[in-house]
Amino acid sequence: MRQDRAASLRERLRKGVSNFEFDALIEGVSNVDEDAAEKAPAPPAATPAKPDLRPASQVRTADSEGLRAALNTLGDRLLQEAGKLAAAFRALDVDESGYHLARINQVLELLHAVDPSGELARKHGTVAAPPTGVRWPKPVWCLYDFAESPLSGLVPVEADDLFCAAVVATAAVAPES
Amino acid sequence: MRVVAVVNQKGGVAKTTTAANLGACIAERGFRTLLVDLDPQANLTVGMGIPWYELDSALHTVLLDPDETPLRSIITQVHDIPLYLAPGHLDLAHTEALMMPHADKAYRLRNAIEDLTRSESFDWVFIDCPPSLGTLTQNAIVAASHLLIPTEPKFYAFAGMDSLNKMIVALTKSLRFRVELLGVLLTMFERGTRLHTMIAAEIRERFGDKVFQTVIYKNVRVSESEVEGKPIALFDRRAPGAQNYEALAEEVLLRAAG
């Protein structure tokens, strides 16, 4: 990295960071009534370490019903959020689009964690399961991902690249709810 | 007992790896340690060698019906050290929605841990949070005495911590809790990358001594240990990743003592 480029980058970094606040993190927060906490009865003393927690080999097991239900829930949620994303795109609403794109990303990350190929979803007849030979779309964390994603097909013709970039950037920092 | 929420809404910043390896390193020193897998991806659970999809009760059942499934009933010991796991489950993904109507939805985990400590004692609890700022993460923050924020040395790290800061301020308006920052941990660090060095310096300038001196460097052996279902400290003690987390454990224990 050349010296002038490094200095310029450092300058832009500092300027960008100056827009952010971290006070609550650095100082900590407390809205617990200290007096009330002190007056509250102390919980019973904890007993010494007990050896009777179960070893891993005795953990209860179940069939794949839970997985099927979870995939169905995620498939439903994916469809719902895609519908809301399409509506927000049509309204050219960056914040709303970013919010729903973030929700979709979270669902897709979960789906990729348990069923990256989409095979289980197809086997269980999950709503929105990808067709045979097709994987779940990747989550979108940058403009490049977005261009590659089938979600970009929802963007109306009047939206430009700047709109898409703003949506992706909003999604990257959007809280889940 | 210290309850540490390992939190950052950005995915892929080594939250799970940090919870697993820091927890294991502290447990190896004789401290009774509980790992709580609050992430619906359940990677911490799988990384400890337990297949979440074979469990019929896990953290989601505790949060939804703590009377029927107390936290104690799902905890299992892992790896022959005083390390215990409250396993996660994919069904945590819709637990958030199911908890929504309940007024105490953000206190469920705190209540479960308080109930647990009436019969079990732990020195440390590490909560692996999901990559979001939803109800599950709120549960972790309300239950925690401390936050540990792993972060990549990237510009987006600042935006992420700003969002977390905003969320904590917003939560104080509706919830009663007390939490302080244990530290910011630089992860995924690449040696010789000037941009990483530059951003790390900026993070240290903003957060001062709240940033851990220990830095977690990128190390492929850590990923390999996850495939083996073991923390790196138990898988390959000589690996740089193991040494990073050993150093972090020492620093965390020193901070706790101070």
Side-chain angles (χ1 to χ4, degrees):
Chain A
M1 193 183 295
R2 283 174 45 191
Q3 206 63 33
D4 53 347
R5 192 170 151 227
S8 160
L9 196 56
R10 189 176 296 113
E11 180 65 22
R12 277 186 286 145
L13 178 62
R14 291 208 161 154
K15 199 171 169 188
V17 173
S18 67
N19 294 321
F20 297 131
E21 289 291 333
F22 311 113
D23 293 352
L25 285 177
I26 293 170
E27 292 162 17
V29 297
S30 173
N31 58 8
V32 177
D33 184 344
E34 306 277 347
D35 293 339
E38 280 171 15
K39 286 174 192 163
T47 54
K50 289 186 177 180
D52 62 340
L53 292 172
R54 298 170 301 163
S57 58
Q58 289 175 18
V59 175
R60 283 178 289 169
T61 61
D63 58 21
S64 61
E65 187 58 27
L67 178 60
R68 190 189 63 77
L71 283 169
N72 273 337
T73 302
L74 289 172
D76 282 342
R77 194 161 153 194
L78 184 63
L79 277 188
Q80 286 171 15
E81 291 298 334
K84 290 174 183 172
L85 177 67
F89 275 162
R90 284 194 296 275
L92 297 178
D93 185 329
V94 170
D95 289 341
E96 193 71 8
S97 301
Y99 174 79
H100 292 298
L101 181 57
R103 301 289 298 256
I104 288 173
N105 281 341
Q106 284 151 7
V107 173
L108 289 176
E109 283 190 342
L110 290 172
L111 288 167
H112 273 274
V114 296
D115 180 29
S117 67
E119 196 55 48
L120 286 174
R122 285 190 287 275
K123 180 179 153 194
H124 288 299
T126 302
V127 178
T132 305
V134 178
R135 300 166 68 88
W136 290 104
K138 288 181 187 168
V140 173
W141 295 115
C142 65
L143 199 55
Y144 178 82
D145 292 341
F146 187 68
E148 295 273 296
S149 170
L151 294 170
S152 60
L154 300 174
V155 177
V157 289
E158 60 270 31
D160 58 14
D161 286 351
L162 283 178
F163 170 80
C164 296
V167 169
V168 173
T170 304
V173 296
E176 186 176 291
S177 58
Chain B
M1 180 178 72
R2 286 174 175 80
V3 181
V4 181
V6 183
V7 62
N8 188 332
Q9 77 271 33
K10 175 85 173 67
V13 296
K15 285 188 292 292
T16 301
T17 304
T18 297
N21 288 289
L22 179 57
C25 289
I26 285 181
E28 270 216 307
R29 285 161 171 76
F31 295 95
R32 205 160 187 257
T33 303
L34 173 65
L35 303 176
V36 177
D37 189 357
L38 201 55
D39 185 351
Q41 294 175 82
N43 289 339
L44 176 61
T45 301
V46 174
M48 288 290 151
I50 294 179
W52 61 266
Y53 43 84
E54 291 183 358
L55 304 177
D56 61 4
S57 60
L59 208 52
H60 65 298
T61 46
V62 174
L63 294 176
L64 289 175
D65 193 350
D67 293 331
E68 179 69 23
T69 314
L71 184 54
R72 187 177 186 284
S73 70
I74 67 161
I75 291 174
T76 185
Q77 186 174 6
V78 285
H79 301 313
D80 298 327
I81 52 176
L83 182 64
Y84 298 82
L85 173 72
H89 197 283
L90 178 65
D91 283 356
L92 277 165
H94 56 231
T95 298
E96 289 196 271
L98 295 174
M99 287 198 300
M100 207 53 78
H102 299 282
D104 69 341
K105 61 180 182 291
Y107 294 97
R108 292 280 174 106
L109 182 60
R110 180 160 94 184
N111 293 341
I113 291 174
E114 282 176 358
D115 181 57
L116 173 72
T117 56
R118 293 192 179 100
S119 60
E120 297 286 336
S121 63
F122 287 96
D123 300 300
W124 288 87
V125 178
F126 290 98
I127 306 169
D128 184 26
C129 294
S132 78
L133 295 180
T135 309
L136 292 175
T137 298
Q138 291 173 21
N139 263 272
I141 289 171
V142 170
S145 58
H146 293 82
L147 303 181
L148 191 159
I149 308 175
T151 186
E152 281 183 283
K154 290 188 174 174
F155 178 68
Y156 290 128
F158 294 101
M161 288 191 280
D162 177 70
S163 299
L164 183 58
N165 190 78
K166 282 189 173 72
M167 188 186 91
I168 286 172
V169 171
L171 285 182
T172 60
K173 296 183 175 117
S174 56
L175 302 173
R176 313 286 289 175
F177 65 103
R178 176 192 306 156
V179 74
E180 62 183 273
L181 183 60
L182 182 64
V184 175
L185 176 66
L186 292 162
T187 60
M188 324 286 279
F189 208 91
E190 291 181 40
R191 291 179 198 276
T193 304
R194 276 179 84 171
L195 184 60
H196 280 193
T197 306
M198 186 186 296
I199 292 176
E202 195 64 32
I203 290 176
R204 288 190 189 282
E205 187 166 325
R206 291 302 299 261
F207 284 87
D209 60 7
K210 289 288 185 184
V211 184
F212 288 108
Q213 289 301 315
T214 306
V215 169
I216 307 297
Y217 291 92
K218 274 196 173 174
N219 179 217
V220 72
R221 292 292 279 168
V222 174
S223 306
E224 289 171 8
S225 74
E226 288 161 358
V227 176
E228 293 294 323
K230 281 184 175 176
I232 184 70
L234 307 181
F235 175 67
D236 182 357
R237 195 176 296 276
R238 288 174 304 173
Q243 290 167 15
N244 287 166
Y245 279 107
E246 293 287 355
L248 178 65
E250 293 293 341
E251 198 176 348
V252 164
L253 291 171
L254 272 175
R255 282 190 183 199

